[in-house]
Amino acid sequence: ADVVRELMKNGIMATPAEVIDCDTAELITTEFGHKPKRISDSDIELDLGLQESNPKNLVPRPPIVTIMGHVDHGKTSLLDALRESKVADGEAGGITQHIGAYQITTKTNSKISFIDTPGHEAFTEMRARGANVTDIIILVIAADDGIKPQTIEAIKHAKAANCPIIVAVNKCDKPEADPQKVRTELLQHDLIPEELGGDVQCIDVSAKNKLGLNDLIDSLELQADIMELNCDPTISANGVVVESKVEKGKGSVITLLVKSGTLNVGDIIVVGTESGKVRALLSDQGNRIQSAGPSMPVEVLGLSGTPNAGDLANVVETESKAREIADYRQRKSKQKEAKMAARGSVEQMLANIKVGESSELPVIIKTDVHGSLEAIKAALEKIGNSVVKIRVLSGAVGAISESDITLASASSALVFGFNVRAIPQARELSKRDNVEIRYHSIIYELIEDAKLALTGML
């Protein structure tokens, strides 16, 4: 009542349930002899501040190694060969395919975490989000092919991230292989091999014949020793999302690389715009574990939705706090999207008037993992010219649902499923409303398909 009275004196008629603006609130508070402190919306995130690690608790952590290189130079084969050596060393079972991150145990009983990078664009984004995930980069170059465009791009990423590079010259078993040529080509990109008096280790390997793998692991261990990688496993965990997807019977699953601290089952986490309680942790072999230490790749179950690849994950104290932060971030991202859409539409409108009405092909995309969604969106937006172009109405992770079909029939859009199917109800609906669903499992074919559709419109 006092506050209402005070407001009336200032000529503001307000009921007790009304919201007043900051300045007025500040004024009234000062009138009553209190000190106001203004905080902004974004202060919610301040408490996320990473805990300081205690120098007493520091322990060495396994290095995180990213494998990069040009298409078809044998990145995954190299990983398979390294993992084979792991399986041969008495590991049970192969490794689940989906985690883009694996851990191997070397002969000296130390561990190394690997990230396999398909598509380098996703990697650029991870860099940009400040998720400086990796410690060492292995650059795979085929001895018969030499340095190619993506190789150069990978070198640029590595330099931007200030990561030490180890070059693996692969396919040395081929008769036309010329490892020496690769070493001389590296000179053009300021990478000077040790043989030529520089500091870049070049190791000749053959993933097919398993040659030179031990040398590669030795050089990784050496590099990791030099870097003295430490962290404090006792603080609450934080990490980076490598991939996120929706799995049948599991719900939202994210592959997380723990950066520091230890993540336990039952922890409450905020990941980007999503939050939740860790229901279960799965190791890269698919076994259930109770906790994950630093540099360890794990699958986390229990989130409210699928966050973006590259988002940071933090452990917070309470669920309400987690929800508050997630809500705030969702609001921010919605505002950002709304701004983008509004700006786009006016400019588009003017452009359309100029060309004499450009036509758009609306599409809806559903994919199995978030990484593919990013790649497909980026590829589709590149197609098209001033007359026809593709407009992605909605893109999400998970099976094709009824709401996707309703949206498609309302806007006569094409529905693309990448490695996912439609749920039965959605299939019925699509038959009834004559909505075309196209399934693909290879990204090039999906893009070709979209091109044909555009050509048809022309």
Side-chain angles (χ1 to χ4, degrees):
D2 291 347
V3 175
V4 172
R5 214 169 294 129
E6 193 62 45
L7 282 169
M8 278 182 176
K9 278 186 204 162
N10 290 318
I12 297 169
M13 298 295 165
T15 60
E18 210 162 305
V19 177
I20 57 176
D21 61 274
C22 291
D23 298 327
T24 319
E26 207 165 352
L27 194 76
I28 302 296
T29 317
T30 335
E31 288 282 312
F32 283 117
H34 296 285
K35 276 205 184 100
K37 176 180 165 208
R38 281 180 86 151
I39 61 166
S40 68
D41 222 0
S42 57
D43 287 358
I44 306 178
E45 291 195 299
L46 288 183
D47 314 345
L48 267 186
L50 306 177
Q51 273 179 309
E52 286 299 310
S53 25
N54 183 350
K56 292 195 197 92
N57 299 342
L58 287 182
V59 293
R61 65 176 174 81
I64 301 171
V65 179
T66 301
I67 298 190
M68 296 171 73
H70 192 73
V71 184
D72 269 351
H73 277 198
K75 297 183 287 294
T76 309
S77 325
L78 188 62
L79 247 182
D80 284 339
L82 289 168
R83 285 188 277 157
E84 268 291 320
S85 63
K86 168 186 180 184
V87 174
D89 288 349
E91 272 295 339
I95 285 179
T96 43
Q97 281 307 299
H98 242 102
I99 292 198
Y102 321 93
Q103 216 173 32
I104 72 165
T105 308
T106 61
K107 291 196 175 71
T108 55
N109 226 354
S110 54
K111 288 187 159 57
I112 302 179
S113 299
F114 284 100
I115 301 178
D116 195 4
T117 61
H120 39 274
E121 288 98 353
F123 202 72
T124 319
E125 296 208 347
M126 271 176 117
R127 279 270 156 280
R129 291 190 187 107
N132 232 332
V133 193
T134 113
D135 303 313
I136 304 170
I137 286 176
I138 292 184
L139 191 61
V140 180
I141 305 177
D144 55 348
D145 234 11
I147 291 182
K148 286 270 184 289
Q150 262 93 19
T151 321
I152 299 170
E153 189 161 327
I155 293 173
K156 284 183 185 146
H157 289 327
K159 285 189 174 158
N162 271 332
C163 272
I165 300 179
I166 293 177
V167 177
V169 184
N170 197 10
K171 304 193 186 179
C172 284
D173 53 295
K174 285 194 162 179
E176 65 270 28
D178 184 359
Q180 210 41 54
K181 178 169 150 263
V182 174
R183 286 179 169 71
T184 37
E185 281 184 357
L186 283 170
L187 293 173
Q188 299 166 7
H189 302 282
D190 297 339
L191 294 179
I192 304 166
E194 284 181 342
E195 294 87 340
L196 304 173
D199 53 0
V200 176
Q201 302 185 50
C202 283
I203 290 140
D204 295 347
V205 294
S206 158
K208 200 164 147 198
N209 300 351
K210 306 212 179 1
L211 301 173
L213 297 183
N214 289 335
D215 301 345
L216 186 61
I217 287 179
D218 290 344
S219 65
L220 283 175
E221 288 184 323
L222 180 73
Q223 185 67 49
D225 284 345
I226 298 171
M227 293 169 80
E228 293 182 348
L229 305 164
N230 293 326
C231 71
D232 183 349
T234 56
I235 59 177
S236 51
N238 62 318
V240 180
V241 179
V242 181
E243 193 56 276
S244 64
K245 57 184 180 229
V246 176
E247 260 184 44
K248 219 176 180 170
K250 284 187 186 172
S252 292
V253 180
I254 61 168
T255 303
L256 187 72
L257 200 63
V258 182
K259 289 282 287 181
S260 59
T262 307
L263 183 67
N264 302 305
V265 174
D267 279 349
I268 294 156
I269 54 172
V270 177
V271 188
T273 55
E274 307 295 340
S275 63
K277 193 171 185 171
V278 179
R279 282 212 314 266
L281 294 172
L282 302 175
S283 71
D284 58 356
Q285 281 102 24
N287 306 327
R288 284 197 159 218
I289 48 177
Q290 284 306 304
S291 64
S295 296
M296 190 170 176
V298 282
E299 289 200 329
V300 182
L301 278 64
L303 277 182
S304 53
T306 48
N308 294 347
D311 277 347
L312 299 178
N314 298 88
V315 172
V316 291
E317 297 83 56
T318 59
E319 295 203 22
S320 56
K321 177 89 190 287
R323 229 170 285 132
E324 205 177 351
I325 296 173
D327 286 347
Y328 164 68
R329 288 182 177 170
Q330 267 164 357
R331 280 204 307 278
K332 288 254 303 223
S333 76
K334 280 208 183 98
Q335 282 167 358
K336 204 161 117 195
E337 275 173 19
K339 263 191 197 137
M340 294 280 289
R343 203 173 60 212
S345 55
V346 176
E347 283 174 9
Q348 272 168 350
M349 201 169 71
L350 296 174
N352 292 353
I353 294 168
K354 231 184 213 153
V355 230
E357 189 45 25
S358 86
S359 47
E360 291 180 326
L361 170 67
V363 294
I364 293 168
I365 313 168
K366 290 303 274 277
T367 65
D368 54 345
V369 295
H370 191 269
S372 341
L373 181 67
E374 282 184 335
I376 290 170
K377 268 188 172 165
L380 288 181
E381 275 157 13
K382 284 193 191 112
I383 315 177
N385 53 21
S386 54
V387 187
V388 289
K389 53 177 172 292
I390 288 180
R391 177 155 187 191
V392 181
L393 288 182
S394 94
V397 178
I400 297 170
S401 63
E402 293 152 283
S403 56
D404 294 325
I405 303 295
T406 334
L407 176 62
S409 66
S411 52
S412 55
L414 265 181
V415 182
F416 282 121
F418 186 73
N419 281 334
V420 291
R421 318 295 299 164
I423 59 172
Q425 297 90 319
R427 231 171 295 154
E428 291 300 306
L429 198 62
S430 72
K431 281 201 190 101
R432 201 192 72 198
D433 295 352
N434 279 335
V435 171
E436 194 175 356
I437 303 180
R438 303 195 175 180
Y439 299 113
H440 289 284
S441 57
I442 300 173
I443 190 163
Y444 307 113
E445 290 178 2
L446 189 146
I447 289 157
E448 276 306 300
D449 207 1
K451 274 188 185 154
L452 286 174
L454 275 185
T455 323
M457 285 172 69
L458 276 178

